[in-house]
């Protein structure tokens, strides 16, 4: 599928984002908050081919700042960055597009093509802003189910995702037990710690304290850039481990070793964070950030089902739980709590705590064993599926 | 010394903040940045009595948001909070005012009585604001030396402090080796990690992004409250451990167990942080926050002296290094690095890594062994001092 020398050989090559709008009386989305939403557009991409038996589909769920563009290139122009999980998706890669049909959709309430707070509210003709209803991970999964149905797929070989994507991968076999063969929550949790909620809250406060936020009523080209950049800077610290920061920046100054005796970026780690903040505001919407982080805060399988054992009991899938040793935002202990709950519910679960100094972001970075572990699990899933089919 | 039934028995009771202004040609403060400052006022408190031999003085160094009021009460009115280290200072307490003469001064560049950015610049008649020169931990210690000289004390039995106060306790025996018998850096470091610098930077950005900051030119009663509150909220997360937050708040909601489906405080941990932020702005100055955090960022004994061994070699004091197991801002590994450097420099050093789930804030909280450890070390120091004096 490679269509230009600048595209790496094993990439899925040029791809396009597609979309489908669910409109009509039967498509009124009932949200956990009690509110409804209609119509709902879903942006998605697919890579590889659906098998005639329709038994090779894998749903990829993205994290907070991701989108449907998980792999390949939109233009093929030199210097273009590929999709966000290019390292995992493509011919011969762990999510092997020669074998699997990969689906990735922008989740409900996103700002990358799926209906969200930045979109026009048909009732008013203006952006939803704070009139957008609150949504949960369960609501996101409901909309993904609509998409999977629309694609004519009755069963997913696997659902996979990291961080907030991992929460979706956990929710899928709970909400739709008949539809999932294997679930792969990576760097995920059954419920975020109060510390993680605290970080989300200060990030939201950064946005809402920016006068340009204007209670969510900003114009699309006048969003609270300073607040959103600060929110991203705060969050980005939590995505890296202390050791990763030491390795990348240590205490190096921008101008050699001399202290600048100034405010503003003097250390390299500061200019890196500023760069992360300023690039983020070009590709993300502030109100959307508020809603998504709230959906993360509210995710709580213990609360929703009484216990993890209760939550997982109806599941018919097996599970591969992956954590990273240096992840302090969604620490390994929280993945181990998932594993414990799954075992109490007598589910088939494999667990891998991958050695990495990359922190929470490890699931988005090369240089660790995640790809091999995922690949091995998927091969096993296929084999078991073929055996069960005989 | 107790003067009212509302004052606990072992308190130093009613105290007053005093001040001294260093003025005149011989008191032009030469700063590490190359700038000068004059005049310099220092606010301080003392507890207990200086012995006739003047050999029982202990200097207490405060941390970022502290002040000279380390113990006792200013008014004795019911409900008044005592000084910030009341748990450690008083008759029969580890910093025993029946035995020791305790000094605590607001450090250079503070906003609690010692000359700092919020004070009037005599050259302009307006607050210094961003015209205040950058200062370092070494500069703070230089001004403390002036105060100790002024009090007629030639040698300190000990210098003690936590966090930024611990940096001062480390700098003292390096800057003035003849003047310190024992140094007690608690939850301190020879240099902050890039992660800690990153947290300081996002806190500063929170202040500087607030339009009321106005490049530091705000009026005293119109400071950037929203930005300063956010800075405090961010920093406060780093002072607590994940487990302390779990113990204190878990994922409890303000209104029972139901999700509020709203922005703003819904979880208890959120309303706690908001409270921390809103009370902080009433007692602290935004520009001062910018300068102090920069002084912390710039503290680097490796850079200043070539190595820790070099830094500590001239010291004549012994050392008691204390860390807390759950402190992830100034983690035990950084205290252990100090201990290693001190041993390489052939210094007498005791080290205690105190078990606590209270995080960095443990040095300000009861419920751990810090008091006993400090008390034991001070008794040993006195004994050795008496022996040496014979």
């Amino acid at each position: 599928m490679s269509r230009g020398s600048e595209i790496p050989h094993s990439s899925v090559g040029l791809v396009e984002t597609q979309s489908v709008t669910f409109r009509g009386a039967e498509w009124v989305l009932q949200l956990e908050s009690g509110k409804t939403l209609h119509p709902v557009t879903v942006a998605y991409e697919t890579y590889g081919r659906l098998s005639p038996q329709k038994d090779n589909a894998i749903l990829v769920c993205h994290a907070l700042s991701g989108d449907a563009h998980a792999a390949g290139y939109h233009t093929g122009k030199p210097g273009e960055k590929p999709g966000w999980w290019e390292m995992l998706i493509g011919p011969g890669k762990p999510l092997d597009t020669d074998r699997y049909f990969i689906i990735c959709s922008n989740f409900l309430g996103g700002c990358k093509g799926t209906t969200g707070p930045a979109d026009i509210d048909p009732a008013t003709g203006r952006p939803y802003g704070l009139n957008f209803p609150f949504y949960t991970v369960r609501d996101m999964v409901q909309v993904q189910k609509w998409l999977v149905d629309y694609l004519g797929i009755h069963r997913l070989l696997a659902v996979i995702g990291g961080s907030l994507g991992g929460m979706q991968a956990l929710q899928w076999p709970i909400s739709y037990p008949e539809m999932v063969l294997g679930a792969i929550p990576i760097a995920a949790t059954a419920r975020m710690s109060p510390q993680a909620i605290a970080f989300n809250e200060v990030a939201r406060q950064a946005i809402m304290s920016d006068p340009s936020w204007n209670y969510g009523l900003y114009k699309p080209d006048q969003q609270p850039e300073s607040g959103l950049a600060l929110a991203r800077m705060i969050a980005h610290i939590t995505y890296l481990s202390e050791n990763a920061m030491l390795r990348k920046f240590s205490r190096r100054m921008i101008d050699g070793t001399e202290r600048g005796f100034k405010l503003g970026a003097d250390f390299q780690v500061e200019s890196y964070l500023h760069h992360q903040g300023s690039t983020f505001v070009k590709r993300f919407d502030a109100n959307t950030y508020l809603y998504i982080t709230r959906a993360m805060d509210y995710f709580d399988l213990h609360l929703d089902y009484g216990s993890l054992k209760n939550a997982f009991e109806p599941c018919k899938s097996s599970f591969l739980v992956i954590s990273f040793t240096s992840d302090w935002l969604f620490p390994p202990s929280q993945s181990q709590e998932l594993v414990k709950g799954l075992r109490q519910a007598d589910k088939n679960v494999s667990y891998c705590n991958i050695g990495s100094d990359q922190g929470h972001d490890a699931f988005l970075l090369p240089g660790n064993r995640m790809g091999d572990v995922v690949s091995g699990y998927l091969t096993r899933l296929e084999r078991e599926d073929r055996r069960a089919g005989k």
Side-chain angles (χ1 to χ4, degrees), chain A:
Chain A
M1 280 185 79
S2 181
R3 309 196 190 174
S5 59
E6 69 281 356
I7 298 178
H9 174 66
S10 67
S11 175
V12 293
L14 286 177
V15 295
E16 276 181 27
T17 306
Q18 304 174 68
S19 76
V20 52
T21 298
F22 298 94
R23 191 189 304 274
E26 73 270 44
W27 297 113
V28 174
L29 185 65
Q30 302 289 335
L31 298 165
E32 242 191 301
S33 65
K35 300 287 173 68
T36 59
L37 189 69
H38 179 265
V40 176
T41 297
V42 178
Y44 67 98
E45 295 190 5
T46 67
Y47 323 107
R49 286 188 186 185
L50 188 60
S51 64
Q53 303 85 350
K54 300 185 178 180
D55 61 357
N56 68 335
I58 295 176
L59 180 69
V60 168
C61 303
H62 68 75
L64 196 158
S65 65
D67 54 28
H69 184 38
Y73 296 82
H74 281 168
T75 69
K77 286 183 183 162
E80 183 191 0
K81 277 192 182 173
W84 59 269
W85 233 358
E86 175 80 4
M87 71 172 191
L88 213 66
I89 303 169
K93 295 182 184 177
L95 300 186
D96 188 345
T97 47
D98 290 339
R99 294 159 68 189
Y100 309 122
F101 179 65
I102 313 292
I103 310 160
C104 183
S105 65
N106 186 213
F107 51 49
L108 173 70
C111 55
K112 302 298 184 76
T114 295
T115 303
D119 288 313
I120 300 296
D121 179 354
T124 63
R126 292 193 299 272
Y128 280 103
L130 295 197
N131 287 324
F132 201 80
F134 282 87
Y135 51 85
T136 63
V137 170
R138 214 197 291 188
D139 296 327
M140 291 176 177
V141 166
Q142 189 184 174
V143 171
Q144 287 163 351
K145 155 82 159 60
W146 287 4
L147 174 68
V148 171
D149 286 346
Y150 164 81
L151 294 173
I153 296 163
H154 303 300
R155 205 217 49 192
L156 296 164
L157 179 66
V159 183
I160 182 172
S163 191
L164 172 54
M167 292 175 172
Q168 297 160 60
L170 283 167
Q171 185 65 51
W172 253 98
I174 296 173
S175 289
Y176 307 106
E178 309 292 340
M179 288 185 70
V180 185
L181 201 65
I184 313 177
I186 304 171
T189 181
R191 55 179 172 190
M192 293 206 316
S193 70
Q195 187 184 70
I197 294 172
F199 279 118
N200 274 348
E201 174 60 5
V202 292
R204 283 189 295 264
Q205 287 300 321
I207 291 169
M208 299 195 292
S209 297
D210 185 333
S212 304
W213 179 61
N214 191 25
Y215 299 92
L217 294 172
Y218 53 84
K219 290 181 185 164
D221 58 346
Q222 293 171 2
Q223 73 161 338
E225 292 196 353
S226 156
L228 183 57
L230 181 54
R232 178 65 169 181
M233 289 169 72
I234 295 167
H236 204 85
I237 301 174
T238 69
Y239 301 156
L240 304 180
S241 73
E242 193 194 335
N243 279 338
M245 279 195 166
L246 265 175
R247 180 169 44 79
K248 285 172 88 139
F249 313 110
S250 183
R251 289 178 47 91
R252 282 188 299 276
M253 304 279 178
I254 293 168
D255 300 323
T257 57
E258 286 300 308
R259 300 172 177 93
F261 292 113
K262 63 177 182 183
L263 302 172
D266 200 10
F267 292 89
Q268 287 184 12
V269 65
E270 294 174 313
S271 76
Y272 171 80
L273 284 181
H274 283 269
H275 176 75
Q276 292 295 329
S278 59
T279 53
F280 187 65
V281 299
K282 292 174 192 150
R283 65 180 181 89
F284 216 83
D285 168 62
N287 283 336
T288 303
Y289 196 92
L290 302 178
Y291 277 83
I292 296 178
T293 51
R294 218 35 164 169
M296 296 178 75
D297 294 347
Y298 283 146
F299 185 69
D300 189 339
L301 294 179
H302 296 259
L303 184 66
D304 282 354
Y305 301 95
S307 72
L308 280 189
K309 181 171 176 285
N310 282 354
F312 293 129
E313 226 140 35
C315 296
K316 303 200 167 180
S317 68
S318 71
F319 289 80
L320 168 63
V321 177
I322 294 176
S323 60
F324 297 96
T325 50
S326 60
D327 183 351
W328 59 279
L329 187 63
F330 288 31
S333 59
Q334 294 182 1
S335 283
Q336 286 151 19
E337 191 194 20
L338 285 172
V339 172
K340 194 177 161 197
L342 284 161
R343 291 202 171 127
Q344 286 171 339
D346 208 20
K347 300 299 154 186
N348 180 344
V349 53
S350 307
Y351 171 56
C352 196
N353 187 21
I354 294 178
S356 162
D357 84 342
Q358 299 162 316
H360 186 62
D361 256 1
F363 78 95
L364 294 169
L365 300 171
N368 62 63
R369 289 196 308 123
M370 182 184 74
D372 291 342
V373 172
V374 168
S375 175
Y377 174 72
L378 289 176
T379 302
R380 185 151 57 89
L381 266 186
E382 279 183 293
R383 198 170 52 225
E384 288 168 3
D385 191 31
R386 275 196 303 272
R387 250 185 234 151
K390 270 178 190 165

